[in-house]
Amino acid sequence: MAAATTTPNVLLVMEEERRADVYPAHVLADIGRLARWHAPALTRDALLRDPGVLEEVDVLLTGWGAPVFDEALLSRAPRLNAVMVAAGSVRHLTPPEFWARGIPVVSAAAANAVPVAEFSLAQILLGLKQVHRLGREVAVGRRFPHDPPVAGGYGSRVGLLGLGEIGRLVARLLRSFDVEVLACDPVIDPAAAAELGVRLTGIDELFTSCDVVSVHAPLLPETEGLVGERLVALLPEGATLINTARGAVLDQPEVIGVLRDRPDLTAVLDVTWPEPPAPDSPLFTLPNVLLTPHLAGAMGRERARLGELVRDELRRLVHGEPLRHAVAPDRASTRA
């Protein structure tokens, strides 16, 4: 990539609600030193009402609430040479006509992976100690069990369903613990899995032999409803199932049925389908379900990591350096 010869015009387009978290003052100031703000920040709706503002924009910065880069929008942006998204997936933003233009698109998935992996690690460790199960048993029985059977954090097995950006980071974090990590991912390079210290296995062994299974698979046609009654019923006594990926990767009615029949199991569900669940969903009342409101991803101050990643990529673009987080067209469709 050749070094930039002029200062690029940049425009920020995203929802207002989380804009100040994602692009805090220090990030905006840094961007202002690297590029020229072409216009004040806009929402997607404001941009669609006045798409002519794109005529002289070189780099579009965005995040949650990004516009779809279809032909109608691209036709108004003849100078656009990069899109930088302070969020994870870009699949829904990039139709074929976008890729036909050859415009690089940056995703901040690597930055968003950090809090998700941290949340997953915390729940994995709690699951190995069976904190949630024993906690509810203590509350109901009002007594402490004597020497309860607990897998613990030594020699136990942790299963990762999916080794994408987040799954790989979880695997790296688990290397600090004395556990065996198994993973099921049909597209991961075995050498890459070995480098992570992960043993690849089939999905049945993952659910049969692991004390905790953490779901990190993207939602694709082949993964929709992948985890259902058959797999969850394979989990060993006292196991924990964690989902921080997409709710529809689980066949929710089937999973609920198994959880009703297996009070020894625990499900930690940070995502559901639909989201939130219907008010009468058993997920709200099943004692062995810990339901959290999609909070594993970047929240509050954590969101600044996403804007900082975009700022750093803009710096590389301006200095003619290779982008580190550009999404390849063939990978965009497999991201969550």
Side-chain angles (χ1 to χ4, degrees):
M1 184 180 296
T5 57
T6 60
T7 302
N9 288 339
V10 299
L11 177 67
L12 173 58
V13 179
M14 69 171 291
E15 65 177 41
E16 290 185 36
E17 183 180 1
R18 290 175 281 191
R19 185 190 295 158
D21 286 346
V22 175
Y23 291 96
H26 73 277
V27 171
L28 293 178
D30 290 344
I31 291 172
R33 286 186 282 270
L34 291 166
R36 181 185 302 108
W37 289 109
H38 178 61
L42 300 173
T43 64
R44 173 177 53 203
D45 290 344
L47 174 66
L48 295 179
R49 287 194 298 269
D50 182 22
V53 73
L54 291 172
E55 294 287 341
E56 297 183 9
V57 170
D58 301 300
V59 181
L60 193 141
L61 311 179
T62 186
W64 287 292
V68 175
F69 298 99
D70 56 18
E71 186 57 45
L73 201 65
L74 292 172
S75 68
R76 306 302 297 270
R79 289 174 45 169
L80 190 65
N81 61 36
V83 173
M84 301 191 175
V85 184
S89 175
V90 300
R91 180 172 56 180
H92 61 296
L93 306 176
T94 53
E97 55 265 36
F98 173 83
W99 296 111
R101 279 275 299 268
I103 300 170
V105 58
V106 163
S107 163
N112 194 51
V114 175
V116 181
E118 292 171 346
F119 179 95
S120 301
L121 175 65
Q123 296 300 334
I124 288 168
L125 297 178
L126 292 173
L128 291 174
K129 283 288 193 180
Q130 298 196 20
V131 167
H132 302 305
R133 179 179 69 85
L134 293 173
R136 61 181 177 263
E137 289 180 4
V138 166
V140 171
R142 301 197 177 193
R143 64 180 181 83
F144 284 9
H146 174 68
D147 196 22
V150 171
Y154 182 83
S156 301
R157 281 182 172 174
V158 175
L160 304 178
L161 183 57
L163 280 176
E165 194 96 50
I166 296 168
R168 290 195 300 272
L169 185 51
V170 174
R172 292 188 190 100
L173 293 175
L174 285 169
R175 296 187 75 166
S176 299
F177 300 89
D178 292 317
V179 296
E180 182 183 4
V181 182
L182 277 60
C184 177
D185 189 319
V187 299
I188 190 73
D189 179 2
E195 188 176 325
L196 290 167
V198 170
R199 178 166 72 84
L200 291 177
T201 186
I203 197 167
D204 283 14
E205 183 182 357
L206 195 79
F207 278 80
T208 300
S209 66
C210 290
D211 303 291
V212 177
V213 172
S214 189
V215 178
H216 302 288
L219 180 58
L220 305 170
E222 54 268 36
T223 62
E224 184 173 356
L226 174 64
V227 178
E229 177 181 8
R230 188 185 72 81
L231 289 175
V232 178
L234 294 176
L235 288 168
E237 179 84 13
T240 298
L241 174 68
I242 302 164
N243 188 14
T244 57
R246 290 290 185 265
V249 175
L250 272 57
D251 185 321
Q252 206 159 272
E254 289 191 7
V255 172
I256 287 171
V258 177
L259 293 172
R260 279 191 176 123
D261 295 338
R262 293 275 309 272
D264 63 290
L265 299 179
T266 297
V268 179
L269 305 179
D270 189 54
V271 289
T272 62
W273 184 255
E275 191 170 293
D280 60 350
S281 172
L283 294 177
F284 288 115
T285 55
L286 277 170
N288 53 344
V289 172
L290 174 61
L291 198 60
T292 55
H294 205 142
L295 55 79
M299 304 289 288
R301 286 190 294 269
E302 295 171 330
R303 293 171 179 155
R305 281 195 186 104
L306 283 68
E308 289 169 354
L309 182 147
V310 164
R311 174 204 61 197
D312 294 345
E313 287 287 75
L314 179 62
R315 180 180 292 117
R316 293 184 188 101
L317 182 74
V318 169
H319 293 161
E321 300 170 1
L323 298 173
R324 294 181 182 174
H325 299 280
V327 180
D330 60 338
R331 292 203 61 202
S333 62
T334 62
R335 290 192 175 222

